[in-house]
Amino acid sequence: MAKELNLTKDIKVVKKDRLRFTKNKISATLCYLAILFNVLYFVNIYSSDVGNYYYSITIGLSVVYNLLFLLFAFLCSEGVKNYSKNYSIFIAILGALQIGRIFYIPMNAHSATVTTAEAEVAVMDDKQFMLVIIFLCASAACAIASGIIGYIKTVTLENYKKETGLG
């Protein structure tokens, strides 16, 4: 019984020690997935051509935000890969902002109509609305999960280094 207890304890120590020599791939991969879902979101939005609804300053700001999101999410992927608390927190904040984006363009476009030569049409139908909401939620979930996992692993590594006198 004591041997099994020591073996379990040794395995936990080895797992903590491995953190010093390996990258945090899961958090980085989740950042890449957040980027992918964001790309799917904005391709879906920007490929829509319903009257002149999308030709506004709002879409211009959205394009700038998307570029900044891509840049910062990639930067965070490199940071969380190397066990940085700050990047973990920042990617989680980016994830929360993705949730906030749902209430701007998708909500407004879903409730808006545009008069074309043929008839009055909805800017964003129910199917597209659900799709972009799913993309934004998936992006947010991946970013927040990346931040949480990155933060936990970083704290674990820092505590292990303090315990062993390595850091």
Side-chain angles (χ1 to χ4, degrees):
M1 182 75 163
K3 248 185 182 177
E4 288 177 21
L5 193 59
N6 283 339
L7 183 60
T8 305
K9 186 177 178 182
D10 289 343
I11 290 171
K12 288 181 182 179
V13 170
V14 168
K15 283 184 179 182
K16 288 179 186 177
D17 194 48
R18 269 195 75 199
L19 293 176
R20 294 185 318 145
F21 305 105
T22 59
K23 300 286 185 184
N24 186 357
K25 292 179 187 173
I26 184 123
S27 289
T29 301
L30 286 168
C31 284
Y32 300 142
L33 284 173
I35 290 170
L36 174 69
F37 286 120
N38 186 67
V39 167
L40 292 172
Y41 160 76
F42 77 73
V43 165
N44 191 301
I45 292 284
Y46 301 156
S47 66
S48 297
D49 189 22
V50 181
N52 289 332
Y53 182 82
Y54 287 120
Y55 301 111
S56 66
I57 190 75
T58 302
I59 293 300
L61 293 174
S62 177
V63 169
V64 171
Y65 179 84
N66 277 314
L67 292 172
L68 291 173
F69 177 85
L70 295 172
L71 175 71
F72 287 125
F74 182 75
L75 179 65
C76 287
S77 75
E78 293 300 311
V80 296
K81 191 187 302 183
N82 293 306
Y83 300 101
S84 169
K85 275 187 196 176
N86 293 335
Y87 285 113
S88 297
I89 293 167
F90 193 69
I91 192 66
I93 291 169
L94 282 177
L97 290 173
Q98 290 292 81
I99 293 171
R101 292 179 76 188
I102 293 169
F103 302 103
Y104 198 63
I105 290 178
M107 287 289 196
N108 291 335
H110 187 250
S111 62
T113 58
V114 174
T115 304
T116 63
E118 297 85 37
E120 189 170 274
V121 295
V123 173
M124 185 181 292
D125 62 11
D126 292 338
K127 182 180 173 186
Q128 183 185 18
F129 178 69
M130 289 306 296
L131 198 57
V132 297
I133 298 300
I134 289 168
F135 290 151
L136 282 175
C137 287
S139 178
C142 289
I144 292 169
S146 173
I148 291 170
I149 292 168
Y151 192 85
I152 290 169
K153 284 188 170 192
T154 302
V155 168
T156 300
L157 180 60
E158 287 175 355
N159 290 341
Y160 175 75
K161 284 180 176 180
K162 284 179 188 172
E163 288 172 11
T164 58
L166 297 170

